[in-house]
Amino acid sequence: MTEILRDKAALRARVTAWKRAGETVGVVPTMGALHQGHLSLVQAATAGADRVIVTIFVNPKQFNTPSDLENYPRTEHADADKLVPFGVDAVYVPGPDEIYPDGFATSVHVEGLTGILCGAFRPGHFDGVTTVVSKLFLQTGADRAWFGEKDYQQLQVVRRMARDLDIPIEVIGCPTVREPDGLALSSRNLLLPADARARAPAMGREMRGMAEALTAGRSMAELTAHASAALAQAGFDKVEYLELRAADGLALLDRADRPARLLAAAWIGGVRLIDNIAVG
Ligand code: PAF
């Protein structure tokens, strides 16, 4: 049985003892509904730190609508079972008061990186993410943290936040894990109706085709209209963005003239999916 800790005092006591013994501490922050993508982070963490904490907290501050928060899958017991084979040292499942006590009045905001891509469509989302992640970093006192490249913008934002605030933690990105049909794993995939689930891999397929064309020297201006039409044809209701950005710093690009990332967000079957892929 993995130990579940629900308050920061108990968490601190564990971490203090580990650090006193000279052990390194890793953290994998999650909102639960764990899938193989999360478990790949946990696997990497167990190889990269002496002690590993997995946090599970469905963070209300990063949801844009009450229904999205309400519908978010909550599967704490199944999550704890999935972690057993990895021998993690603690699962931290804080109650809301441990994170946002009465009168909580602070928000962590990263300028620039958060106003583009998902940030342009989800106002306040990244402030919610950086506020909770900074708290989880400080509460766990971890030396290293693992995040999925599936949320590529989040990874960049969290890195910048830790650097700017001098939080002494190394933020490590891990490759996206995909279903056999190419769909990037996400807790939101559970919400897809069957027909939308069958069509959803079209997004990754289109993006892979674009990435090949961009690597061969084509431009976004030449490729975007065709890709958006192909997604509409596949049943996507709305493409929020489909953009090429510098892998480091996320400057908008037309051509892959430096290490780049193709990023997309689109709606299908009432569910918002995001994906990204390295280019060049
Ligand atoms: O990626 C997520 O699951 C969340 O955004 C995170 C990092 C756990 C913060 O709530």
Side-chain angles (χ1 to χ4, degrees):
M1 237 349 246
T2 314
E3 184 177 25
I4 297 187
L5 304 173
R6 295 189 189 273
D7 65 275
K8 57 186 173 234
L11 177 70
R12 274 206 191 114
R14 291 296 182 291
V15 173
T16 304
W18 295 336
K19 292 208 161 175
R20 207 169 277 147
E23 293 173 318
T24 55
V25 178
V27 64
V28 180
T30 81
M31 295 203 299
L34 300 183
H35 51 61
Q36 285 303 323
H38 297 111
L39 299 181
S40 74
L41 304 181
V42 174
Q43 177 80 60
T46 56
D50 299 321
R51 298 286 183 169
V52 173
I53 303 163
V54 175
T55 71
I56 299 179
F57 180 69
V58 181
N59 174 32
K61 286 197 189 289
Q62 70 185 79
F63 288 83
N64 296 95
T65 61
S67 63
D68 196 19
L69 172 60
E70 213 166 280
N71 292 336
Y72 198 84
R74 288 162 173 83
T75 55
E76 185 185 314
H77 291 299
D79 291 343
D81 288 348
K82 285 179 191 164
L83 292 171
V84 171
F86 295 91
V88 304
D89 298 279
V91 183
Y92 179 48
V93 189
D97 288 351
E98 295 296 313
I99 302 290
Y100 302 123
D102 238 13
F104 186 84
T106 299
S107 176
V108 177
H109 174 71
V110 174
E111 204 59 59
L113 282 180
T114 59
I116 56 174
L117 301 168
C118 288
F121 293 88
R122 304 188 64 189
H125 166 71
F126 284 116
D127 292 357
V129 170
T130 43
T131 301
V132 80
V133 170
S134 56
K135 292 211 59 157
L136 292 170
F137 282 179
L138 295 169
Q139 289 187 356
T140 60
D143 305 292
R144 295 188 191 116
W146 280 262
F147 288 82
E149 288 183 348
K150 156 81 172 29
D151 295 298
Y152 192 79
Q153 185 179 10
Q154 170 173 277
L155 173 62
Q156 304 296 312
V157 168
V158 166
R159 270 201 182 123
R160 182 70 57 86
M161 181 267 297
R163 192 202 67 178
D164 288 356
L165 296 182
D166 295 323
I167 302 179
I169 193 165
E170 183 188 358
V171 176
I172 300 163
C174 291
T176 302
V177 179
R178 296 179 182 277
E179 297 280 7
D181 62 10
L183 181 65
L185 294 195
S186 163
S187 309
R188 289 175 196 276
N189 294 353
L190 294 174
L191 306 174
L192 283 169
D195 62 327
R197 169 63 190 85
R199 288 161 172 266
M203 182 152 101
R205 248 191 334 266
E206 276 309 312
M207 292 174 74
R208 280 191 296 282
M210 284 181 83
E212 275 173 31
L214 288 161
T215 304
R218 309 269 310 267
S219 71
M220 285 298 282
E222 294 171 278
L223 301 170
T224 308
H226 175 270
S228 299
L231 290 179
Q233 177 82 27
F236 279 82
D237 304 311
K238 185 178 164 203
V239 177
E240 282 187 353
Y241 62 79
L242 176 58
E243 292 180 0
L244 185 67
R245 296 256 169 192
D248 192 20
L250 300 181
L252 188 62
L253 303 178
D254 186 41
R255 291 182 190 274
D257 50 14
R258 67 193 94 163
R261 210 88 194 179
L262 182 65
L263 304 105
W267 287 82
I268 188 165
V271 179
R272 183 177 184 276
L273 298 181
I274 60 171
D275 202 349
N276 71 87
I277 174 169
V279 181

